[in-house]
Amino acid sequence: MSEVLTREEPRSAVKSNVILDVQDLKIHFPIYGGLFQREVAAVKAVDGVSFQLYEGETLGLVGESGCGKSTTGLAVLRMLPVTSGKIVFEGVDITNYDQKQMRPIRRRIQMVYQDPFGSLDPRMTVADIVGEPLEIHKLHGNRAERRERVMELLEMVGLRHDMIDRYPHQFSGGQRQRIGIARALAVEPRLLICDEPVSALDVSIQAQVVNLFQELQDKLGISSIFVAHDLAVVRHVSNRIAVMYLGTIVEISSRDELYANPKHPYTKALMASIPVPNPIVEAGRAHHIIKGEVPSAQRPPPGCRFHPRCPQAMPICKEKVPELRPEGKGMVACHLFS
Amino acid sequence: MSKPLLQVRNLTTKFGNGPGAVTAVNNVSFDVDAGETLAIVGESGSGKSVTALSILQLVPDPPGRITGGEIVFDGIDLTKLNEDEMRAIRGNRIAMIFQEPMTSLNPSLTIGLQIGEPINLHKRLPWQKAYDKAKELLDRVRMPDARSRLANHPHQFSGGMRQRIMIAMALACQPKLIIADEPTTALDVTVQAQILELLKELTRETGSALILITHDLGVVARYADRVCVMYGGKIIETASALDLYAKPLHPYTRGLMASIPRLDQPAGLRLVPIKGQPPNLAQLPPGCSFNPRCGEVAERCRRDVPELMKADDKHMHACWMAPHV
Ligand SMILES: Nc1ncnc2c1ncn2[C@@H]1O[C@H](COP(=O)(O)OP(=O)(O)OP(=O)(O)O)[C@@H](O)[C@H]1O
Ligand SMILES: Nc1ncnc2c1ncn2[C@@H]1O[C@H](COP(=O)(O)OP(=O)(O)OP(=O)(O)O)[C@@H](O)[C@H]1O
Ligand code: SF4
Ligand SMILES: [Mg+2]
Ligand SMILES: [Mg+2]
């Protein structure tokens, strides 16, 4: 399940166990300006991202604010115009699908959002919220059947049956996130895109939801993309992890390989920046703090985007964009490895 | 032994009146020694910020007020001072750094003026000298091109740079105590590390004590000498950082440690969540506030409120059932 993909394997479509194949995806947001409101520049939110997701696998997407994690997730759902590249889902190229063509696909790809407060309609009961996708996709025809299915889903996410007629405000943050997850699972999707699903929760509640994700993976075998900035949480739920920096993937590897043996200087910096809750470990740990901040996605640095902050930068790094290529058990985009 | 720099004794701060009133800080006592870093850690709503605001006499009144206790700083009880006397202490002998620097910076003034002002005011330095000092401070917080950046306005800086400016301002008058309330929560991980490292290094250099408020147990482990853990407006455990992580005594502290995924442990290890929900301050249960979520709850816990008790000289907890050390 957590085997790592290399370039040698066929990249295009019908490989039975690849559920999602993203190829050189670019999502640029135009910036308009000047007298005639012409396009004067673009935010290169996602700028050449490729990855494949296997059946039953969870791919973690980590990186700092603005690196393009959410944009990547939304693009897969085709909720954003694709600038270039390809999105192949279950062997079908959906890059240019229109809204109507996307409808049956939306049933198979569901999203769980960060904000358990904002993402649920306060005027709807749990029965309505969780049952709505069933209605939209015309599943479980009559009311009684739908209600039955909602009960089942509530049980699956650890909520009680008697909560079915309550409103969102009657639930805590962790419970609301469970409602969001139940709703996403209602239509039996094959792919779940989770955008920071635990970030807004209290520390003591996060574990409940993280555990729920693990149970659901074990039980349902759903594939998922798990977006988060917390590396410890991501490590917990993912089989493989992609590290993003300024719209690109700089390293992708199996979970254990990435944490035991990070290769890209940015991955290393990110790991070193995360304090471990153990003063003895911390006292013996070198704090390689990298300088500077993430540059603007509008004017990314030439060559390797990380070069202005990289402690190991070489002359070539300023000029040539490093390609993501196989290295050890994963893939790295860094001239140190080319 | 010399006296602690700051002694907070039985501090109680309330908001509102009548049945909806909440006790945000409930009979809290702790010390801060000169030069040490004390972390206050706890979940959202546990009373960390209100504790900081109480020390600074900045609790918004109404609806809030300090209803009891003493806050003795360098021999003076701050709760007895009037606003003028307090103003002479704030920004001078006690400085503060907040989570969102934009709310504490004036958007229409250059940062040269903003850093220079407290120096001019408290240290009575003429403006030119205060300005030079401001440049020096920006150098110290590693701001590139400090001299020319003095003329810039806050919006011309990134989040991390603004927080550096806040640190420069906090250091301006060589305070004995700096209170930093979640100073990096709004920043990127790599920038968070830069800022905390800088803060730690500079306080070490100047000998300022630091109260570091955070909800991140990793940050505490990396930077704190001592720790207070807050829950439902009370300190439920306090110890040296080493002792707290080596032998947490309160079930809540132990629960927290078991519930967070951590990079120093095998991946895939099942987390042990704390059951139930964080407390609602307006409806705290009788006895120990943690009792509805506690795995070791006994009859006494539902009846009597546990106050901090000594496990040993330096380690205290507020739990009836905590093991004896
Ligand atoms: N609709 C939009 N129009 C213009 N720019 C956008 C839009 N959405 C995102 N961006 C920009 O694209 C970049 C990537 O944003 P994205 O939301 O994908 O980042 P992220 O990795 O999810 O960050 P965070 O951790 O803060 O959620 C950012 O620079 C952002 O400002
Ligand atoms: N201005 C206010 N008016 C009314 N109640 C307040 C006010 N400020 C704080 N409180 C109450 O005091 C309690 C403690 O709040 P405090 O801001 O100290 O929490 P905290 O531990 O800093 O949490 P966080 O991690 O979210 O910053 C809260 O539950 C809140 O209800
Ligand atoms: S490619 Fe060069 S600049 Fe980029 S991370 Fe590697 S060494 Fe640093
Ligand atoms: Mg995002
Ligand atoms: Mg606070």
Side-chain angles (χ1 to χ4, degrees):
Chain A
M1 197 158 71
S2 57
E3 140 201 23
V4 173
L5 192 73
T6 62
R7 272 282 164 86
E8 284 87 83
E9 296 178 59
R11 304 205 66 212
S12 59
V14 218
K15 193 188 169 208
S16 64
N17 62 340
V18 171
I19 183 166
L20 177 71
D21 188 2
V22 173
Q23 300 172 18
D24 202 20
L25 181 70
K26 293 189 183 173
I27 310 283
H28 294 181
F29 296 105
I31 301 170
Y32 300 97
L35 195 54
F36 302 103
Q37 286 297 302
R38 274 182 315 198
E39 187 181 333
V40 290
V43 177
K44 296 171 178 160
V46 172
D47 205 23
V49 158
S50 304
F51 63 86
Q52 290 176 307
L53 184 71
Y54 287 95
E55 198 79 55
E57 176 190 51
T58 297
L59 177 74
L61 221 52
V62 299
E64 294 178 273
S65 186
C67 69
K69 305 182 295 295
S70 297
T71 306
T72 303
L74 291 172
V76 169
L77 265 175
R78 291 292 331 284
M79 285 161 81
L80 292 170
V82 172
T83 309
S84 69
K86 236 187 195 183
I87 300 166
V88 180
F89 176 67
E90 293 186 323
V92 182
D93 184 346
I94 60 167
T95 321
N96 298 309
Y97 268 29
D98 61 25
Q99 293 307 314
K100 189 153 159 273
Q101 289 171 300
M102 272 309 286
R103 261 190 97 143
I105 307 284
R106 292 253 155 80
R107 197 195 134 188
R108 306 188 58 77
I109 312 179
Q110 285 284 311
M111 183 124 184
V112 177
Y113 295 92
Q114 162 169 9
D115 179 7
F117 301 90
S119 58
L120 304 177
D121 187 333
R123 291 157 309 185
M124 289 166 73
T125 65
V126 171
D128 296 337
I129 292 170
V130 178
E132 191 180 50
L134 295 171
E135 217 176 315
I136 294 174
H137 294 282
K138 308 205 171 52
L139 305 165
H140 297 274
N142 70 43
R143 246 187 99 76
E145 276 170 25
R146 274 207 304 274
R147 207 174 155 83
E148 190 63 30
R149 172 77 178 138
V150 172
M151 295 273 195
E152 224 179 273
L153 287 158
L154 292 185
E155 203 171 290
M156 197 185 294
V157 299
L159 293 172
R160 291 196 316 269
H161 286 178
D162 62 282
M163 295 171 165
I164 190 165
D165 293 314
R166 292 197 197 161
Y167 291 89
H169 75 263
Q170 294 171 290
F171 292 92
S172 69
Q175 288 172 328
R176 276 184 249 204
Q177 199 53 290
R178 286 169 195 267
I179 297 171
I181 295 167
R183 179 186 157 96
L185 293 175
V187 294
E188 298 179 47
R190 290 318 298 158
L191 170 59
L192 210 54
I193 297 177
C194 311
D195 193 355
E196 307 266 9
V198 301
S199 316
L201 302 176
D202 263 315
V203 191
S204 72
I205 304 302
Q206 285 188 4
Q208 298 176 9
V209 179
V210 168
N211 282 359
L212 173 63
F213 270 108
Q214 282 184 315
E215 279 160 32
L216 293 175
Q217 282 162 8
D218 294 349
K219 239 189 283 178
L220 307 176
I222 293 188
S223 315
S224 33
I225 295 179
F226 194 100
V227 171
H229 62 269
D230 184 331
L231 272 85
V233 170
V234 168
R235 171 170 173 261
H236 220 78
V237 298
S238 308
N239 305 109
R240 277 192 308 145
I241 293 163
V243 182
M244 290 188 72
Y245 188 77
L246 262 185
T248 62
I249 292 180
V250 296
E251 182 163 2
I252 182 166
S253 202
S254 74
R255 169 190 71 195
D256 293 340
E257 178 66 11
L258 189 90
Y259 285 90
N261 192 8
K263 298 201 171 60
H264 197 285
Y266 176 65
T267 314
K268 288 186 184 166
L270 204 54
M271 304 267 190
S273 297
I274 306 205
V276 166
N278 182 337
I280 299 170
V281 173
E282 276 302 326
R285 208 169 161 220
H287 302 171
H288 301 288
I289 305 302
I290 51 164
K291 54 188 194 296
E293 295 178 45
V294 184
S296 145
Q298 208 176 311
R299 272 169 276 99
C304 170
R305 292 170 182 221
F306 186 58
H307 88 253
R309 305 176 73 193
C310 180
Q312 284 163 277
M314 308 166 286
I316 188 179
C317 307
K318 291 196 183 90
E319 278 147 32
K320 195 158 171 271
V321 177
E323 254 183 84
L324 190 62
R325 54 172 81 232
E327 177 64 37
K329 295 184 195 153
M331 294 176 94
V332 189
C334 170
H335 290 303
L336 290 171
F337 299 91
S338 50
Chain B
M1 255 199 65
S2 62
K3 273 190 118 174
L5 175 67
L6 179 77
Q7 287 176 292
V8 175
R9 286 291 169 271
N10 308 104
L11 175 67
T12 300
T13 305
K14 294 190 169 156
F15 286 95
N17 289 302
V22 298
T23 306
V25 174
N26 191 350
N27 201 22
V28 156
S29 301
F30 61 91
D31 293 345
V32 182
D33 286 327
E36 81 168 339
T37 296
L38 173 80
I40 300 181
V41 65
E43 290 180 81
S44 191
S46 59
K48 305 181 298 293
S49 295
V50 175
T51 301
L53 293 174
S54 302
I55 296 171
L56 294 160
Q57 306 291 305
L58 287 175
V59 177
D61 176 11
R65 70 217 170 276
I66 295 177
T67 59
E70 289 178 357
I71 300 167
V72 181
F73 171 73
D74 231 359
I76 310 163
D77 185 353
L78 302 182
T79 62
K80 304 257 157 48
L81 300 187
N82 64 31
E83 181 51 27
D84 280 342
E85 293 166 318
M86 206 46 225
R87 209 171 289 143
I89 290 182
R90 273 198 301 262
N92 182 20
R93 296 169 64 201
I94 305 179
M96 56 229 142
I97 301 169
F98 294 109
Q99 174 172 342
E100 185 29 75
M102 257 337 234
T103 57
S104 358
L105 288 168
N106 184 333
S108 56
L109 295 179
T110 66
I111 61 143
L113 281 173
Q114 296 189 60
I115 303 174
E117 195 208 60
I119 307 172
N120 169 263
L121 184 80
H122 293 301
K123 299 288 178 218
R124 298 182 196 291
L125 278 183
W127 257 108
Q128 193 49 52
K129 286 234 169 75
Y131 218 66
D132 287 342
K133 185 87 207 279
K135 189 238 159 215
E136 217 174 276
L137 286 162
L138 281 188
D139 280 336
R140 281 183 73 187
V141 297
R142 322 260 144 70
M143 177 80 72
D145 312 316
R147 176 64 71 183
S148 62
R149 303 234 56 174
L150 286 174
N152 288 158
H153 290 82
H155 72 267
Q156 291 167 293
F157 296 89
S158 69
M161 284 171 149
R162 280 184 211 133
Q163 209 51 292
R164 283 169 199 271
I165 295 169
M166 290 307 296
I167 295 175
M169 288 170 73
L171 292 171
C173 295
Q174 291 155 310
K176 291 219 165 129
L177 175 63
I178 298 176
I179 302 178
D181 189 355
E182 312 248 13
T184 61
T185 310
L187 301 174
D188 269 336
V189 202
T190 53
V191 181
Q192 254 182 49
Q194 292 168 11
I195 297 292
L196 288 172
E197 209 67 23
L198 180 71
L199 194 57
K200 184 73 187 181
E201 197 182 307
L202 293 176
T203 48
R204 208 177 282 139
E205 262 171 52
T206 56
S208 304
L210 176 65
I211 297 180
L212 181 62
I213 295 177
T214 177
H215 59 265
D216 186 332
L217 285 167
V219 166
V220 174
R222 188 178 277 192
Y223 298 105
D225 302 312
R226 278 192 317 119
V227 193
C228 292
V229 184
M230 288 190 79
Y231 186 86
K234 292 180 92 68
I235 292 176
I236 54 94
E237 185 158 4
T238 176
S240 71
L242 281 171
D243 280 351
L244 189 85
Y245 287 82
K247 45 177 173 99
L249 295 176
H250 196 285
Y252 173 66
T253 318
R254 280 190 273 139
L256 266 190
M257 305 250 182
S259 73
I260 49 172
R262 32 201 295 184
L263 292 180
D264 62 335
Q265 285 176 351
L269 208 86
R270 263 286 190 267
L271 304 177
V272 188
I274 302 178
K275 64 181 184 186
Q277 303 303 328
N280 173 355
L281 288 184
Q283 288 171 330
L284 286 181
C288 170
S289 305
F290 188 60
N291 83 54
R293 307 175 76 185
C294 184
E296 282 152 68
V297 57
E299 210 186 303
R300 185 167 191 194
C301 310
R302 298 204 177 90
R303 193 182 59 222
D304 305 327
V305 177
E307 297 295 344
L308 275 181
M309 45 197 118
K310 271 191 177 163
D312 64 40
D313 245 11
K314 300 253 170 64
H315 197 151
M316 304 215 281
H317 62 79
C319 170
W320 295 125
M321 307 305 290
H324 294 282
V325 182

